[in-house]
Amino acid sequence: MSLYCGTVCRRKSFWCYRLLSTYVNKTRYLFELKEDDEACRKARQAGVFYLFHDLAPLLQTSGRQYLVPRLSRAELERLLGKFGQDSQRIEDSVLIGCSNEREAWFALDLGLSSASSIHKPEVEAELGGSFISLRRAVSQLSSMDSSLLFTARALLRWHDGHQFCSKSGQPTKKNVAGSKRVCPSNNIIYYPQMAPVVITLVTDGARCLLARQSSFPKGLYSALAGFCDIGESVEEAIRREVAEEVGLEVENLQYSTSQHWPFPNSSLMIACHATVKPGQTEIQVNLRELEAAAWFSLDEVAAALMRKGSFIEQQSDGLPLLLPPKLAVAHHMIKTWVETQTCSSLAAI
Ligand SMILES: NC(=O)C1=CN([C@@H]2O[C@H](COP(=O)(O)OP(=O)(O)OC[C@H]3O[C@@H](n4cnc5c(N)ncnc54)[C@H](OP(=O)(O)O)[C@@H]3O)[C@@H](O)[C@H]2O)C=CC1
Ligand SMILES: [Mg+2]
């Protein structure tokens, strides 16, 4: 694996991949597949396919984990043939990634188009798996699988909701990779979109502020989250959301990390830490947005983090505080806060 290529050599209209690092090579290859319909069509011939039904991925159980089966082109054609579907259906698939060896990965939903939806139980029986809600399965997937399935779900959902041009009302047409849709009557290009969401873990030095919505599973509390309004910076969105939801003013905003979150729609979660202004800790919950919000001590939060078992199982064990699943950025932020607090209290001893 070479680490660096100073010169970008062009062969035909794209790059010579030989001298580039594995990561750059992969990135450039995916770029080519998105830009060049013919190259993508060719990659689809030799590609592998992840199947969905109404946005639920096909999964197989393996102990406490889910495995994600993939089908070759030949297996997919055989499956479609068996259920009376034309192999043309494969053109609805979207590109979601590729291996280091340039094997292209696609996702195809067999249930979204009601006109040609394939009966779910029959496919499940044929493939020895089940189509399971991604939200339910998330805690039993590896982080690599969940990230790939998050992308696939978001992209399939976006295509399903953008079949028509919002200006002309005419049907839009997807490119082969599914990285955009075009209206043939006016050439408007539509690109898949994510809504920016700020998520903030507010602390007062010793405690952190967590909140819950009535739609959350019983006992579950998370960090404060909210969609950015149009025209706002991330900092403005954080200050507004915290003020709106719990009536507090925050300062010392610190960016932590980000995450693509596909539920219910595609959001780009921008995670930050913040502190309340000195002496301002009295929460005034906005009941139109939240069911409850409270300050939690380090011990309470650390104990909740330590609990073993899946998120789904924890819901029934009557424990006082439940936290978001490991793959959610909210979990990561809460864990980071506990680790930082623990380190600084140990250092103080
Ligand atoms: N990965 C993670 O760790 C976490 C992810 N999240 C995600 O963050 C997102 C936002 O959190 P939430 O507290 O609900 O947000 P908000 O506090 O902004 O409240 C949601 C409400 O805002 C309105 N709204 C404004 N803009 C939008 C938009 N672009 N899309 C949808 N609704 C909008 C809707 O109201 P109305 O329906 O009345 O129109 C919606 O009910 C959620 O999708 C949630 O899944 C939240 C916490 C943790
Ligand atoms: Mg909110």
Side-chain angles (χ1 to χ4, degrees), residues 197 199 213 225-227 241 245 259 261 263-264 269 289 328-330:
V197 172
I199 177 159
Q213 294 178 9
F227 291 94
E241 272 297 328
E245 296 196 343
Q259 175 188 48
W261 189 246
F263 312 114
M269 306 297 303
E289 295 264 333
V329 73

Side-chain angles (χ1 to χ4, degrees), residues 135 150 195-199 213 216 222-229 240-241 244-245 259-267 269 289-290 324-325 327-333:
R135 196 161 205 159
F150 277 13
V197 172
V198 288
I199 177 159
Q213 294 178 9
F216 286 7
S222 185
L224 298 173
F227 291 94
C228 293
D229 277 351
R240 176 186 53 74
E241 272 297 328
E244 259 178 33
E245 296 196 343
Q259 175 188 48
H260 167 238
W261 189 246
F263 312 114
N265 216 332
S266 222
S267 300
M269 306 297 303
E289 295 264 333
L290 299 174
L327 285 166
V329 73
H331 183 102
H332 172 84
M333 296 169 76

